[in-house]
Amino acid sequence: MRIVKNGDVHVSAPIGIPKKEVVRFIDEHREWIAEARKKTNESQKRRADFYNQLPLKTKEQADEALRRLKALIEPMVDLYSEKMGVKPSALSYKAMVSRWGVCNVRNRSICFSAYLLLLPEWCVEHVVVHELCHLLEPNHNARFHALMDKFFPRWKEARKVTISSVRMS
């Protein structure tokens, strides 16, 4: 049994288990369901509160965010591209809430989330290096982590901050 993001309860049971057994199981766990739903709702509210800190509702707000994002990220990309001997084919920016950045290794383009503006600058730097490392190693394997260790030794600490920013805000 699990609670999904919208608060619904999903129950999985082996084929052949009578429906009344599943219902009994749910009934026996009503308190757990209520508590889990409460935690899920609180988590979703914290997440929304975090992302709502960056106003992007009007064209002017989105344009201002894009200007700030480019001013922050592009010098980092230039610096680390030179250090790492890589060059992305294109940079783009979107209001992504599920990822801080995405690297398309086939066409060598990188897209960064506008919500990086909500993070400390050194954590943004971590995301830039992370995405550039994908131009050298597409997978999150030992080689990738060795590259991260080489080019941004504080990456583990930064990763914790970026994850907790969304969960704890």
Side-chain angles (χ1 to χ4, degrees), residues 35-36 48 53 61 85 110 119 132 135 141-142 148 156 163 169:
E35 186 61 30
Q53 292 176 81
Q61 290 171 334
I110 299 175
L119 297 178
L132 289 171
L135 297 176
N141 56 21
M148 287 299 297
K156 289 177 186 169
I163 290 170
S169 294

Side-chain angles (χ1 to χ4, degrees), residues 19-113:
K19 183 177 177 180
K20 66 181 180 184
E21 287 294 311
V22 174
V23 170
R24 183 188 56 74
F25 178 80
I26 294 168
D27 286 339
E28 288 175 358
H29 292 87
R30 291 267 178 219
E31 286 181 31
W32 179 89
I33 292 169
E35 186 61 30
R37 276 184 157 163
K38 180 181 172 192
K39 286 180 182 175
T40 298
N41 289 338
E42 290 168 356
S43 174
Q44 290 300 95
K45 183 180 177 339
R46 282 192 307 273
R47 187 175 168 83
D49 289 347
F50 175 80
Y51 287 114
N52 287 336
Q53 292 176 81
L54 182 64
L56 295 172
K57 290 181 174 57
T58 67
K59 181 173 176 12
E60 291 77 20
Q61 290 171 334
D63 289 347
E64 175 61 16
L66 178 61
R67 184 195 63 73
R68 288 176 46 218
L69 199 57
K70 285 182 172 185
L72 175 65
I73 288 179
E74 291 179 6
M76 290 179 189
V77 169
D78 291 343
L79 174 71
Y80 282 98
S81 289
E82 188 173 318
K83 283 183 180 182
M84 298 168 71
V86 296
K87 183 82 171 137
S89 63
L91 299 178
S92 60
Y93 307 90
K94 277 177 33 178
M96 300 183 289
V97 296
S98 60
R99 297 175 182 215
W100 297 116
V102 179
C103 179
N104 183 323
V105 293
R106 279 188 226 107
N107 69 15
R108 303 182 64 75
S109 66
I110 299 175
C111 182
F112 292 101
S113 173

